[in-house]
Amino acid sequence: CNAIPTATVIALLIFSLLFPLQMMADRLSEEDKKEMQDRVRYKVEEFQNYLSSIVNTNLSNAQRKASISSALDLFIGSGEEYVINEDGYERLHKGVRMQVSSVTRGSKYWEPMKSYLNRQYANVRRYSKVVIDYADAVRVDNITQTPDGRYEAAAYFCQRYIGYSDGRIKYGDITTKKVKVYIDPLNTPKGIIWDIKLGDVYVTETEALN
């Protein structure tokens, strides 16, 4: 019999590896969706916990800097450039960004996530104490499938920011933010698991702390 061309063999092997992932994506159950949502919530909560640690001067500088690295690892590309498939094409993006707002300025601007986290680390020099914590539960919706079998979602969370000076609140706000989420199915010996990476973080609303 005729030998099968090497390229065909490779293509068949790749298809056999990807087919279970595509089947899982096509047959996404309510249980799968709930697991996705739970994992996304956990990732967003992790990020908020790291933010709290970054500005917590009761921790050592080494611990606070470690929280910066750990926070970046939650994001696609870990704060560096990353490639993502969009509309069938691979596109190179700059590192993930954080949209920043202020009730005093009344405007928004974008900042690289790395710069944002390092600025929060340094903000304790501006204020005698900084507190960043939860203001509400994380909500996850808009889970959609992309043509390459990956999933994307949006997660919403409220963040309270307070800057103290001499024991008094110098600045405070509550900001509602939306973070883009990338969800990839990974084929493991124990079955398919969902790999969650956070993306750009948008400001949807900012109000003064009452």
Side-chain angles (χ1 to χ4, degrees):
C1 60
N2 296 328
I4 300 175
T6 303
T8 302
V9 173
I10 293 173
L12 288 170
L13 286 172
I14 292 174
F15 177 78
S16 66
L17 290 172
L18 293 180
F19 185 66
L21 297 180
Q22 188 60 47
M23 282 184 65
M24 173 61 79
D26 292 340
R27 299 177 181 177
L28 196 64
S29 66
E30 289 303 314
E31 186 178 344
D32 291 324
K33 290 179 182 178
K34 184 180 183 305
E35 182 183 348
M36 278 186 186
Q37 291 174 331
D38 289 343
R39 287 178 61 82
V40 170
R41 287 191 192 96
Y42 180 76
K43 289 287 183 179
V44 175
E45 288 168 359
E46 268 194 297
F47 174 59
Q48 293 189 93
N49 287 334
Y50 287 134
L51 272 177
S52 296
S53 296
I54 289 167
V55 298
N56 184 357
T57 52
N58 290 326
L59 300 176
S60 68
N61 288 339
Q63 288 174 305
R64 293 170 60 217
K65 287 180 180 178
S67 292
I68 294 176
S69 298
S70 297
L72 287 171
D73 285 341
L74 298 174
F75 290 85
I76 188 168
S78 298
E80 306 295 342
E81 291 183 339
Y82 61 95
V83 175
I84 198 76
N85 191 306
E86 295 176 345
D87 302 322
Y89 297 94
E90 288 193 341
R91 302 183 190 278
L92 178 66
H93 289 262
K94 293 182 179 179
V96 290
R97 305 168 300 164
M98 170 69 82
Q99 193 172 42
V100 182
S101 61
S102 167
V103 290
T104 54
R105 289 192 304 268
S107 60
K108 306 174 187 177
Y109 67 92
W110 286 100
E111 186 174 4
M113 186 61 67
K114 258 188 171 181
S115 299
Y116 171 80
L117 295 177
N118 281 289
R119 185 166 60 80
Q120 298 311 313
Y121 177 89
N123 258 356
V124 294
R125 300 171 190 165
R126 180 181 177 187
Y127 301 109
S128 58
K129 179 183 177 182
V130 176
V131 174
I132 301 177
D133 59 13
Y134 303 86
D136 204 350
V138 178
R139 177 170 61 89
V140 182
D141 61 13
N142 298 331
I143 297 177
T144 57
Q145 185 181 0
T146 63
D148 61 351
R150 190 182 69 242
Y151 281 85
E152 293 181 356
Y156 298 83
F157 64 98
C158 288
Q159 175 182 295
R160 179 167 40 227
Y161 185 101
I162 307 173
Y164 293 89
S165 182
D166 298 324
R168 296 183 177 181
I169 295 177
K170 185 175 181 181
Y171 177 85
D173 69 30
I174 296 178
T175 303
T176 303
K177 297 189 175 185
K178 178 182 79 171
V179 54
K180 187 169 184 178
V181 184
Y182 301 92
I183 307 170
D184 285 297
L186 299 180
N187 204 354
T188 73
K190 295 183 178 180
I192 290 176
I193 63 171
W194 303 105
D195 181 47
I196 311 294
K197 289 293 183 182
L198 306 181
D200 289 343
V201 182
Y202 303 76
V203 169
T204 63
E205 184 181 8
T206 303
E207 58 185 50
L209 185 69
N210 294 325

